[in-house]
Amino acid sequence: MIVFEDGAVQINGTIVGEGLGIDPPLVQPLMREGKITSRYERGVDEDAGRHRLTLFRESWRLSLIVDDAGKVVQLSVVDPGNRPVPPGLRRPPPREPESEGAG
């Protein structure tokens, strides 16, 4: 359900939707809008071969520990109520490339 390919991480929308309390078909549009953000960390030293994927939506946080084969080793969900996630934990959504002149 999780694939590491060419430096990118692909995750099944069902995992994200269930973890963040939304319908899976809404995951991709919300990510495009920057309403779901993510953070990726690769394990080093004793954690080599493991990856942590953290996804944020409003006050929700889904954290997945995954092995190199894409198998989820640990999953945790946090919903701290109405308290927002600190901005330092989020990464901004990718910027859209600027188009070159109107034709």
Side-chain angles (χ1 to χ4, degrees):
M1 293 210 158
I2 298 171
V3 178
F4 301 96
E5 187 175 287
D6 298 326
V9 180
Q10 297 176 14
I11 183 168
N12 185 293
T14 300
I15 294 172
V16 177
E18 289 176 359
L20 295 178
I22 58 173
D23 289 330
L26 297 176
V27 170
Q28 202 168 42
L30 289 173
M31 290 185 92
R32 285 187 189 120
E33 293 173 20
K35 293 182 179 176
I36 294 176
T37 58
S38 62
R39 184 177 205 174
Y40 169 72
E41 300 163 283
R42 182 185 307 258
V44 295
D45 299 328
E46 66 270 4
D47 292 320
R50 297 206 182 218
H51 310 264
R52 180 169 41 207
L53 308 168
T54 309
L55 295 109
F56 306 93
R57 180 185 71 87
E58 297 171 355
S59 60
W60 291 75
R61 181 175 65 222
L62 168 63
S63 181
L64 304 160
I65 306 295
V66 181
D67 66 16
D68 277 335
K71 179 182 174 192
V72 176
V73 177
Q74 182 180 351
L75 180 147
S76 65
V77 175
V78 175
D79 177 11
N82 293 327
R83 294 180 9 220
V85 174
L89 290 179
R90 295 180 176 262
R91 77 170 166 81
R95 293 183 62 191
E96 293 291 323
E98 293 184 25
S99 61
E100 298 199 19

